[in-house]
Amino acid sequence: MISQFNLFRYVEGDTVVHKADARPKVLGLTVLVFVFSFSPGWWGVGIVWLLAAVLFGLARLPLQVLPKPPKLLLYAMGIAMFFGVVSGGDPIVNVGNLSVGLGGAIVQLRFLLVTLGLLLLAMLIGWTTPAADLPRAAAWIMAPLRWIRVPIDELVAALTLAVRALPLVADEFTTVSTLWRTRPKRPGLEGVNGRLVEGIDVFATLTTASVRRATELGEALEYRGPMIVRHQHPSWRLADLAVFVLLAGASVGIYLVPV
Amino acid sequence: MVRLQGVHHTHSAGTPWARPALHDINLNFVAGDRVLITGVNGSGKSTLAWILAGLSAPSEGVAERDGESLVDEADDIGMLLQHTRLQLLRPTVATELGAFGCSPERIRWAVEQIGFPLSTLERPIDSLSVGQQRRVGLAVLLARGLPFVVLDEPMAGLDPDARRQLVQAIDRLPLTTTIVTVTHDLVDSAPLGTRVIELAAGRIVSDSDGPALHREVA
């Protein structure tokens, strides 16, 4: 299920977005998220989705890269929208004798679009940037934090190993959910109750699998010992500037127009 | 009878990450067959194991057991994963074995067959070693008495003692059970098969009987 999100799966390409280094992409997105969190209005939502569409087109990505959301997520979004509707609020729409306040639903919809828009941008970076380049970009962005003695090298090492472990964890999630789906239902535990109990068991197994991976990560870090990460960062090229200007321009646009 | 006909499989089909894994696989297994599927890493062994176990449907072709799709029959097909922990979804050995509706007598019998004392039933799954977890997985297959089981790299990561115990436990599966073992280690897995199918780049390159295998291994 988790692998359906196609996270960190690089799509081969020779476009300006592919050619751009990971640094402008990660920095630009970080700035955008920061600015957007202070101005999460409809204008910002529009800019984020427009930006995603432009980058998607520039990167010439096929539509098949888009993830198919699992049913569980769709149900969760449906439930959230339902509570948004019943919470009411302005504007109020009259349908015959019934008055429906759409305020809550509109807020919920905006929240959903903000989340999905930012997620799409993050996935776009993953599809156009080799995963191995992302920790290097993170090291570059976090470099100033060395001044306040933040352990950047350790953080980058952990990030590198985590990125490498993600496909393994995703595979394990897929395996467990597939096995669960094909297992015979436990006798005496049918219906919603049974599914709930089974769900708890599966969750426990997935947690165990993840904890094991985390332990392996920790051990790998320990065995490697203290490591100093010093990357050579080449100067920015035209593609880097172009992508950064796009992302930074969107951030400025969001900031300049009030909510 | 389990039948694969014209099976092709592509991972992430229809996406930029599409990766062909199997090409034109035609196989038949009858009751009691003991089959080893071998090949180097990336040859398609595990993909074939998943299709045989009904855990995934082939992109093209027929995969069926007695005329029913293997995916629909997955309830009645046993699978022992290399990472067995992922298939043991209950907290203790007893609750795992009890999850399939087997009688307490049958569960005790299965535990004895894999060479564990009955006190093992109360042990948490996470307190067992990898080899012990694999034997518990096998006990589940024994207790359920399934007609068709697929073992994915059962010997991987086990010491010689654990391998011997596992082979003994597998030997206790009924003679009518079809056992397909996926392995890259023919030497240790030789006792588990009388027919050897070799895969390379997703295609069957040989399908021979056991004696030929033993000569090759020797």
Side-chain angles (χ1 to χ4, degrees), chain A residues 2-233:
Chain A
I2 192 170
S3 55
Q4 290 172 337
F5 284 102
N6 300 332
L7 295 170
F8 298 119
R9 296 182 85 181
Y10 182 66
V11 180
E12 292 288 340
D14 193 32
T15 68
V16 64
V17 187
H18 285 86
K19 284 177 185 166
D21 193 75
R23 289 169 296 160
K25 294 176 190 171
V26 176
L27 178 64
L29 185 62
T30 307
V31 171
L32 184 76
V33 170
F34 184 76
V35 172
F36 202 20
S37 61
F38 287 100
S39 302
W42 283 107
W43 170 250
V45 171
I47 287 184
V48 164
W49 279 90
L50 180 65
L51 178 67
V54 169
L55 286 175
F56 200 91
L58 284 175
R60 292 192 201 132
L61 292 167
L63 287 174
Q64 288 87 346
V65 298
L66 293 172
K68 292 174 191 148
K71 280 182 187 164
L72 199 63
L73 186 63
L74 295 177
Y75 292 149
M77 290 196 299
I79 291 169
M81 194 54 78
F82 169 77
F83 282 114
V85 171
V86 297
S87 66
D90 289 334
I92 292 172
V93 176
N94 294 310
V95 184
N97 293 330
L98 191 68
S99 294
V100 181
L102 294 179
I106 289 171
V107 170
Q108 188 62 47
L109 181 65
R110 197 175 65 185
F111 174 75
L112 196 63
L113 289 174
V114 167
T115 309
L116 293 180
L118 291 177
L119 185 65
L120 182 58
L121 282 175
M123 286 193 292
L124 263 163
I125 289 181
W127 296 328
T128 57
T129 314
D133 289 356
L134 294 172
R136 187 170 53 83
W140 178 75
I141 290 171
M142 291 191 291
L145 298 176
R146 287 183 200 280
W147 297 335
I148 53 171
R149 294 184 178 275
V150 174
I152 301 301
D153 298 323
E154 285 75 9
L155 284 174
V156 171
L159 183 63
T160 307
L161 291 170
V163 166
R164 285 180 191 166
L166 188 70
L168 300 172
V169 174
D171 272 354
E172 290 186 345
F173 276 37
T174 305
T175 302
V176 172
S177 56
T178 306
L179 286 167
W180 178 44
R181 189 167 40 77
T182 55
R183 262 169 96 113
K185 297 297 159 269
R186 208 178 334 177
L189 275 176
E190 286 84 17
V192 177
N193 236 2
R195 300 299 285 176
L196 192 63
V197 172
E198 297 259 326
I200 291 168
D201 284 340
V202 169
F203 181 72
T205 305
L206 290 174
T207 307
T208 307
S210 300
V211 167
R212 196 185 68 223
R213 286 283 169 218
T215 308
E216 287 169 2
L217 275 179
E219 286 171 354
L221 275 173
E222 201 177 325
Y223 291 144
R224 287 184 71 156
M227 55 186 286
I228 304 298
V229 182
R230 292 282 187 271
H231 295 292
Q232 294 296 318
H233 297 293

Side-chain angles (χ1 to χ4, degrees), chain B residues 142-153:
Chain B
L142 281 164
R144 294 178 70 194
L146 298 165
F148 187 71
V149 300
V150 181
L151 314 175
D152 188 6
E153 301 283 6

